[in-house]
């Protein structure tokens, strides 16, 4: 039920939003009770296994041989899910030797009602040109204006459900990368949800795509403002620890169920446990500023700020005075800014069962490798998982295993983290 993650960050602040969240949570609980608990399969059971290919081609239309594209449906759900789905779309296009037509992301969190999804063009969030520069030779994004007119489109229906196996999915993609299918200028993937596509790519490939995602200047500047507020908390420069604190109601319901299913107690950390583990991070010099990345709209009060020991200066958005920066923007942008703030922290502490935390650790690991410094003793961009006990009662050191063959651990969470 990793999709609960989509509630990760701030929900639109009005009370209608909040009510919707509670209704959603109720629906999700019901659904979870009614559906078998198999990771990745939840929600698929209701969809059929039909695969069909519609041939939209009309004879006599010239097809440009040099320009081949892949089109995917609007990308939905939380920031992290959208990033993964986007990377998957890119890697699918790469496999088909095609350019990905710039997809729409979703600014809002509401996933059921299509009209509430607020499509937002990819290039309103991430730099289009920069993406192609950085990913040159690996994957490529194209614009709809690159299409010749009229266009031959092949619709490719992705299957789903239990019978739609990894192998079938891969076979379908292989088939469509050659022969008669390759003549179509556009292959348009249709299907219920790209996030549930099977994963055929190693972590390294995902990391490459994520690296090419650079926020547009407007949002980078907002993240700069938040970070400089954090840095300005004290006159002398202090390290800042970003803690992705998951203690909201929906998370607690979700993680308790997960713990039961996986027969572990290493997923849900209480606020007190988080505080204690952060305080025990080896080599952490106090005083230190703690930035709490919390879905504060889901918290009833500011109790997350209480209980921190001496030497820790805890802040969330409100106390930091940056609520105004966030509230201007829809949900997707808010979490993109928070993501950036966590990415740049001197130390990051997250939950290994959170996709949001996992993606941040992946990018920090990537940065560390880029700097030519990997290995445990070499602590640049250190990250920790507070839900797993590490040395001296602290949180466990956390590095993404870049050799992993798929993104499974990141999508579904794990207690087996590299360190
Ligand atoms: C689609 O239809 C056209 C003309 O009707 C035909 O030439 C072509 O082979 C068909 N393509 C596929 C993939 O079936
Ligand atoms: C992809 O397309 C380019 C240009 O048509 C071609 O040179 C290349 O061999 C193709 N690669 C694969 C893996 O099919
Ligand atoms: C905030 O909530 C926690 C638990 O949800 C409770 O223990 C605490 O007393 C509350 N604090 C305030 C100031 O209401
Ligand atoms: C990190 O490791 C590299 C090589 O393993 C070494 O050259 C470098 O000095 C180390 N840096 C620190 C800060 O320990
Ligand atoms: C990383 O993943 C690879 C491939 O799954 C595995 O063989 C290796 O043992 C993992 N390394 C660590 C440190 O977990």
């Amino acid at each position: 039920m990793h999709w609960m993650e989509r509630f990760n960050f701030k929900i639109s602040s009005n009370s209608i939003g909040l009510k919707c969240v509670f209704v959603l949570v109720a629906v999700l609980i019901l659904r979870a009770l009614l559906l078998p608990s198999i990771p990745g399969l939840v929600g698929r059971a209701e969809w059929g296994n039909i695969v069909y290919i519609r041939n939209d081609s009309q004879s006599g239309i010239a097809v440009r041989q040099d320009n081949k594209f892949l089109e995917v449906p609007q990308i939905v759900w939380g920031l992290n899910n959208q990033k993964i789905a986007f990377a998957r779309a890119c890697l699918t296009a790469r496999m088909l030797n095609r350019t990905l037509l710039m997809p729409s992301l979703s600014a809002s969190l509401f996933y059921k009602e299509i009209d509430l999804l607020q499509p937002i063009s990819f290039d309103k969030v991430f730099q289009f040109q920069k993406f192609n520069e950085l990913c040159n030779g690996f994957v490529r994004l194209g614009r709809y204006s690159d299409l010749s007119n009229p266009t031959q489109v092949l619709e490719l229906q992705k299957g789903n459900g239990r019978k739609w196996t990894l192998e079938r999915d891969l076979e379908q993609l292989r088939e469509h990368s050659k022969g008669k299918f390759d003549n179509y200028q556009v292959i348009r993937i249709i299907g219920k949800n790209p996030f549930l596509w099977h994963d055929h790519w190693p972590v390294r490939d995902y990391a490459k795509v994520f690296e090419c995602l650079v926020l547009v200047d407007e949002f980078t500047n907002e993240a700069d403002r938040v970070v400089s507020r954090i840095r300005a908390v004290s006159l002398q420069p202090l390290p800042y620890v970003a803690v992705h604190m998951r203690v909201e109601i929906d998370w607690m319901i979700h993680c308790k169920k997960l713990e039961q299913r996986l027969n572990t107690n290493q997923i849900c950390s209480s606020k007190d446990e988080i505080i204690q583990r952060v305080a025990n991070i080896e080599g952490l010099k106090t005083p230190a500023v703690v930035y709490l990345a919390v879905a504060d709209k889901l918290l009833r009060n500011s109790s997350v700020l209480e209980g921190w020991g001496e030497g820790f200066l805890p802040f969330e958005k409100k106390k930091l005075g940056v609520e105004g920066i966030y509230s201007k923007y829809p949900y997707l942008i808010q979490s993109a800014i928070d993501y950036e703030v966590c990415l740049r922290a001197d130390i990051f502490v997250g939950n290994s069962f959170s996709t949001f935390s996992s993606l941040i650790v992946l990018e920090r690991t990537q940065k560390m490798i880029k700097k030519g410094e990997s290995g445990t003793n070499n602590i640049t961009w250190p990250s920790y998982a507070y839900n797993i006990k590490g040395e001296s009662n602290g949180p466990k050191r956390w590095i993404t295993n870049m050799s992993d063959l798929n993104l499974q651990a990141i999508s579904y969470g794990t207690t087996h983290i590299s360190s």
Side-chain angles (χ1 to χ4, degrees), residues 212-277:
C212 308
L213 291 173
V214 180
L215 286 178
V216 296
D217 289 341
E218 181 188 355
F219 306 141
T220 304
N221 294 342
E222 299 290 26
D224 288 345
R225 283 173 65 197
V226 177
V227 170
S228 53
R229 284 289 179 87
I230 297 173
R231 297 275 184 213
V233 159
S234 152
L235 285 176
Q236 83 262 42
L238 295 181
Y240 86 88
V241 184
V243 182
H244 177 222
M245 205 162 175
R246 302 232 47 192
V247 289
E248 330 82 78
I249 309 149
D250 74 305
W251 169 257
M252 279 303 170
I253 295 169
H254 165 56
C255 77
K256 287 289 179 204
K257 272 182 56 79
L258 256 183
E259 281 195 341
Q260 242 173 15
R261 192 199 318 150
L262 302 177
N263 194 19
T264 172
N265 58 2
Q266 288 197 310
I267 304 176
C268 313
S269 288
S270 65
K271 187 194 81 171
D272 291 339
E273 185 172 78
I274 298 172
I275 289 176
Q276 192 202 9
R277 293 218 164 128

Side-chain angles (χ1 to χ4, degrees), residues 9 240-246 274-275 278 281 289-294 308 315 338 342 345 347-351 356-357 386:
F9 274 80
Y240 86 88
V241 184
V243 182
H244 177 222
M245 205 162 175
R246 302 232 47 192
I274 298 172
I275 289 176
V278 170
I281 291 177
V289 178
V290 179
Y291 175 70
L292 299 167
V294 284
W308 291 85
F315 286 85
D338 237 15
C342 291
I347 294 175
F348 173 72
V349 191
N351 188 305
F356 186 87
S357 290
Y386 58 65

